[in-house]
């Protein structure tokens, strides 16, 4: 396993930030690590990258214990923290050469040029980091994280501050890196996870509340069978609630509705309802819960959600 976590706990005074969590991540997996603000995501990542020690429990990266072998762990890990710390007075190329030297890279010049190309920093490489936009600073942070070609990448909000075009470029880069690296990715952008990750871990108030492939999570939610339907004429919520198996009715406006049911034949039941009511259907599409809906269901007690 690339990452092994067993009963990992972090306590600050009277506050338990991470409470006895356990999970494993295999080589080549790209895992989305999600949770509300204050759930324990960044704290977990900091323990895995040896920035802070655990209070109790065990964590290993590439078979190395984060408490007893922290220097060795860091050689195998690339880390982009949530608040990207950079030397603003250094030039991009200079900073990456410095990071490469610290990481023990043998051919520094070639590796710096390679990473600059990967992160599309070519036009900015002779500028001081302090002159860069937030998006380009984020690229520099990602370049620093991969400069020593680590086996494991831990990325906390890697696309923060990027414009849509830059987001797509970084998505493609992360996806390509995932072909031979283990990646643990934290973000509040659910579309990011759906586009990149093959597995999701959700943490809430220091506890893991979900750990599975996205499709499996969709199949476990209460709203398992969902239909989006639009009628040519007006229909009321009261009428729709007469459909056999109906669980939830949500208006989408312009005679369109999102309906959830309790059985696999629910779409057929909606069709029968329309036929029996002499209603013309202009759209009828089966849906699955997206990750944002699943996230809200699993953490809805947080901050009034």
């Amino acid at each position: 396993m690339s990452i092994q976590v067993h009963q990992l706990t972090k306590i600050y005074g009277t506050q338990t930030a991470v409470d006895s969590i356990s999970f494993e991540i295999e080589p080549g997996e790209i895992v989305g690590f999600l949770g509300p603000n204050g759930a324990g995501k960044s704290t977990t990542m900091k323990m895995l990258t040896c920035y802070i020690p655990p209070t109790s429990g065990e964590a290993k990266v590439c078979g190395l214990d984060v408490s007893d072998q922290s220097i060795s762990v860091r050689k195998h890990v690339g880390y982009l923290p949530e608040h990207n710390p950079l030397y603003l007075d250094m030039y991009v190329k200079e900073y990456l050469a410095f990071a490469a030297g610290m990481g023990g890279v043998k051919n520094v010049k070639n590796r710096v040029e390679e990473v600059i190309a990967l992160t599309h920093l070519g036009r900015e490489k002779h500028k001081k980091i302090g002159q860069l936009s937030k998006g380009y600073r984020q690229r520099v942070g990602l370049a620093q994280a991969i400069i020593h070609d680590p086996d494991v990448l831990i990325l906390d909000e890697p696309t923060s501050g990027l414009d849509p075009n830059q987001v797509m470029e970084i998505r493609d880069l992360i996806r390509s890196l995932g072909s031979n690296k283990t990646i643990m990715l934290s973000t509040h952008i659910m579309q990011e996870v759906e586009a990149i990750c093959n597995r999701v871990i959700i943490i809430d108030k220091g506890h893991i509340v979900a750990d599975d492939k996205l499709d499996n999570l969709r199949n476990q939610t209460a709203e398992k069978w969902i239909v989006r339907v639009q009628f040519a004429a007006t229909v009321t919520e009261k009428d729709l609630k007469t459909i056999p198996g109906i669980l939830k009715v949500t208006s989408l406006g312009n005679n369109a509705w999102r309906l959830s049911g309790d059985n696999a034949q629910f779409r057929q039941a909606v069709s029968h309802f329309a036929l029996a009511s002499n209603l013309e259907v202009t759209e009828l599409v089966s849906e699955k819960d997206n990750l944002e809906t699943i996230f809200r269901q699993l953490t809805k007690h947080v901050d009034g959600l």
Side-chain angles (χ1 to χ4, degrees):
M1 292 292 174
S2 290
I3 298 176
Q4 295 171 285
V5 172
H6 180 68
Q7 299 293 303
L8 192 66
T9 299
K10 183 62 181 180
I11 300 173
Y12 296 102
T14 59
Q15 179 183 0
T16 302
V18 175
D19 193 357
S20 300
I21 65 171
S22 299
F23 61 86
E24 294 183 346
I25 301 178
E26 297 181 0
E29 280 195 286
I30 304 179
V31 177
F33 191 51
L34 312 178
N37 290 330
K41 303 186 301 297
S42 293
T43 298
T44 301
M45 290 179 154
K46 287 176 182 177
M47 287 189 282
L48 290 174
T49 52
C50 308
Y51 273 70
I52 59 173
T55 301
S56 62
E58 181 181 65
K60 291 183 178 181
V61 178
C62 298
L64 302 166
D65 191 281
V66 299
S67 296
D68 299 332
Q69 300 167 287
S70 63
I71 299 299
S72 297
V73 168
R74 294 175 204 211
K75 294 178 182 178
H76 292 271
V77 175
Y79 179 40
L80 175 65
E82 180 180 9
H83 302 292
N84 187 6
L86 298 167
Y87 293 107
L88 301 184
D89 288 333
M90 294 182 76
Y91 295 91
V92 171
K93 197 170 179 179
E94 175 191 14
Y95 171 71
L96 293 177
F98 168 72
M102 293 290 288
V105 175
K106 292 182 180 178
N107 193 329
V108 171
K109 183 178 179 180
N110 285 354
R111 181 57 180 166
V112 167
E113 290 298 334
E114 184 179 339
V115 167
I116 283 174
L118 280 172
T119 52
H120 300 278
L121 281 166
R123 292 188 302 174
E124 314 296 324
K125 64 182 180 181
H126 297 300
K127 290 183 181 180
K128 284 189 175 182
I129 294 172
Q131 296 175 309
L132 302 180
S133 67
K134 182 179 179 181
Y136 276 107
R137 291 186 193 185
Q138 198 71 356
R139 292 190 193 208
V140 174
L142 184 56
Q144 170 273 139
I146 65 176
I147 192 76
H148 58 299
D149 196 22
D151 300 306
V152 175
L153 279 174
I154 296 181
L155 310 175
D156 201 349
E157 301 286 348
T159 58
S160 174
L162 303 184
D163 65 39
N165 290 330
Q166 293 172 331
V167 167
M168 289 301 296
E169 290 172 356
I170 297 303
R171 271 188 197 173
D172 291 342
L173 174 58
I174 292 172
R175 199 180 289 114
S176 66
L177 290 170
S179 63
N180 59 9
K181 299 184 187 302
T182 302
I183 300 177
M184 187 174 182
L185 166 74
S186 175
T187 179
H188 288 291
I189 305 172
M190 299 301 161
Q191 296 93 328
E192 231 21 55
V193 178
E194 292 182 306
I196 298 173
C197 301
N198 46 37
R199 177 179 156 201
V200 174
I201 298 174
I202 301 178
I203 187 171
D204 180 24
K205 291 187 174 180
H207 298 274
I208 290 177
V209 296
D211 180 0
D212 211 333
K213 294 187 182 298
L214 183 53
D215 282 344
N216 292 340
L217 284 177
R218 287 179 174 133
N219 290 332
Q220 292 169 17
T221 56
E223 296 183 29
K224 186 174 179 180
W225 292 282
I226 303 168
V227 171
R228 187 177 74 251
V229 59
Q230 186 170 28
F231 301 100
T234 301
V235 61
T236 68
E237 181 176 340
K238 182 179 179 180
D239 291 335
L240 292 170
K241 285 185 175 179
T242 65
I243 299 173
I246 193 83
L247 292 175
K248 187 176 179 181
V249 178
T250 305
S251 174
L252 303 176
N254 196 27
N255 298 323
W257 301 83
R258 188 174 190 264
L259 311 175
S260 61
D262 64 2
N263 62 78
Q265 288 74 44
F266 183 63
R267 175 173 172 159
Q268 186 177 357
V270 174
S271 296
H272 287 329
F273 163 81
L275 185 62
S277 304
N278 198 26
L279 288 166
E280 181 185 350
V281 174
T282 58
E283 181 183 48
L284 182 63
V285 181
S286 295
E287 290 186 350
K288 287 185 176 181
D289 273 343
N290 60 28
L291 185 55
E292 183 175 349
T293 303
I294 296 168
F295 179 88
R296 288 174 64 86
Q297 288 178 6
L298 292 171
T299 64
K300 60 186 175 183
H301 60 281
V302 177
D303 295 332
L305 291 179

